[in-house]
């Protein structure tokens, strides 16, 4: 007989959730604090949000971060998906172990090592550091996460759907875009969101590979926090939380819709057989 979760489990979950989300709730609340001292509540106000729009340096850093995340996540998703297909579909080939290890290496290597190695590479080849060096670095360390997510989906993929399309005369490339890609789209979207989040959050690797005029938002926030927490930092962090939460909700709905379409396609294919 199932008696439900014990009081110990409920208490542990409650404390864990409070430890994770209570600081975020406090940050959001204090972003509406009327006073400049972030430790003393002086009433409700939205003046720090208006002051944020007057901080051109913070806005420039936010724009660099968004562009960096969108570009690096998109390229990493394409490369990571190609790497996952290669590892799953092409079986044993010469250099497979080396290729698999190189794809998975950024998962276990410390970010300091990755950032330093990227820095040495760009310095040795004479590549001026800036936006594009950060983009290359972010693509390098986020691609492996996409590959792992997509690879886990391809392992359980029903290849009879592709074989049926090929038997009916559909070219391989069209089969991929018409059959394979829609069915693995939830994993691809999840990989893109994970890559975008990692790029948005990165501080260590960006610090090694950044250059003049390419300051990201984490670097900007970190440099200001060292001198004291400003209410504007609470405001921009609240905006980021809202955007990420909205994106997570939209992605969740999209993934649920894609999963429903996938199941409907598999049921139709099974009925056709």
């Amino acid at each position: 007989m199932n008696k439900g979760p014990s009081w110990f489990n409920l208490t542990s979950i409650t404390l864990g959730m409070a430890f994770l989300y209570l600081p975020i709730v406090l940050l959001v609340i204090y972003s509406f604090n009327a006073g400049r001292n972030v430790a003393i509540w002086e009433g409700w106000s939205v003046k720090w949000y208006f002051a944020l729009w007057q901080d051109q340096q913070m806005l420039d850093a936010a724009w660099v971060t968004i562009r960096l995340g969108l570009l690096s996540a998109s390229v990493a998703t394409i490369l990571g998906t190609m790497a996952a297909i290669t590892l799953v579909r092409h079986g044993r080939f010469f250099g497979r172990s080396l290729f698999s290890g190189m794809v998975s290496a950024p998962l276990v290597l410390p970010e300091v090592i990755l950032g330093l190695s990227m820095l040495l590479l760009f310095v040795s080849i004479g590549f001026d550091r800036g936006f594009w060096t950060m983009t290359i670095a972010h693509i390098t360390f986020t691609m492996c996460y996409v590959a792992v997510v997509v690879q886990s989906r391809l392992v359980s993929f029903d290849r009879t759907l592709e074989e049926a399309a090929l038997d009916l005369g559909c070219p391989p490339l069209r089969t991929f875009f018409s059959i394979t890609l829609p069915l693995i789209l939830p994993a691809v979207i999840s990989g893109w969101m994970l890559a975008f989040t990692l790029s948005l959050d990165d501080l260590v690797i960006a610090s090694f590979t950044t250059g003049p005029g390419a300051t990201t938002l984490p670097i900007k926030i970190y440099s200001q926090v060292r001198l004291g927490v400003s209410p504007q930092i609470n405001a921009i962090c609240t905006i980021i939380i809202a955007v990420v939460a909205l994106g997570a909700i939209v992605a969740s709905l999209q993934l649920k819709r894609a999963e429903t379409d996938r199941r409907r396609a598999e049921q139709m294919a099974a009925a056709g057989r």
Side-chain angles (χ1 to χ4, degrees), residues 212-243:
T215 302
T216 62
L217 194 58
I219 297 176
K220 183 66 177 178
I221 292 176
Y222 178 72
S223 63
Q224 290 193 358
V225 168
R226 294 173 62 184
L227 303 176
V229 180
S230 169
Q232 296 182 22
I233 296 179
N234 291 341
I236 195 167
C237 289
T238 301
I239 294 175
I240 293 175
I241 292 171
V243 172

Side-chain angles (χ1 to χ4, degrees), residues 11 24 39 51 66 74-75 114 139 161 171 183 227-228 241 249 255:
T11 303
I24 298 177
I66 293 174
S74 299
V75 178
L114 290 174
I139 292 172
L161 301 175
L183 295 179
L227 303 176
I241 292 171
I249 293 174
L255 290 174

Side-chain angles (χ1 to χ4, degrees), residues 119 122-123 127-134 207-212 214:
L119 173 62
F122 295 137
V123 170
F127 198 178
D128 293 335
R129 286 176 293 161
F131 177 80
W132 292 109
T133 54
M134 285 195 300
S207 299
F208 279 99
T209 57
T210 188

Side-chain angles (χ1 to χ4, degrees), residues 132 137 145 176 186 191 229 266:
W132 292 109
Y145 293 91
F176 174 79
V229 180
E266 291 180 350

Side-chain angles (χ1 to χ4, degrees), residues 21-134:
Y21 292 103
L22 185 58
I24 298 177
V25 173
L26 291 177
L27 183 147
V28 173
I29 293 175
Y30 274 91
S31 69
F32 296 97
N33 186 15
R36 178 172 291 276
N37 191 335
V38 295
I40 301 177
W41 180 257
E42 299 182 15
W44 295 93
S45 176
V46 294
K47 66 179 182 179
W48 301 116
Y49 287 89
F50 290 101
L52 178 63
W53 294 112
Q54 304 300 323
D55 191 341
Q56 190 60 42
Q57 292 184 350
M58 189 72 73
L59 294 179
D60 291 341
W63 177 235
V64 170
T65 303
I66 293 174
R67 288 191 295 129
L68 176 64
L70 293 174
L71 180 58
S72 62
S74 299
V75 178
T77 300
I78 296 174
L79 297 178
T81 302
M82 294 172 62
I85 293 174
T86 301
L87 292 172
V88 174
R89 295 293 179 84
H90 294 279
R92 307 296 302 181
F93 57 88
F94 179 76
R96 186 185 191 280
S97 299
L98 178 61
F99 179 72
S100 178
M102 292 176 64
V103 171
S104 304
L107 289 170
V108 296
L109 284 176
E111 289 188 348
V112 174
I113 303 299
L114 290 174
L116 181 59
S117 61
M118 288 288 177
L119 173 62
L120 294 176
L121 172 64
F122 295 137
V123 170
S124 62
I125 63 177
F127 198 178
D128 293 335
R129 286 176 293 161
F131 177 80
W132 292 109
T133 54
M134 285 195 300

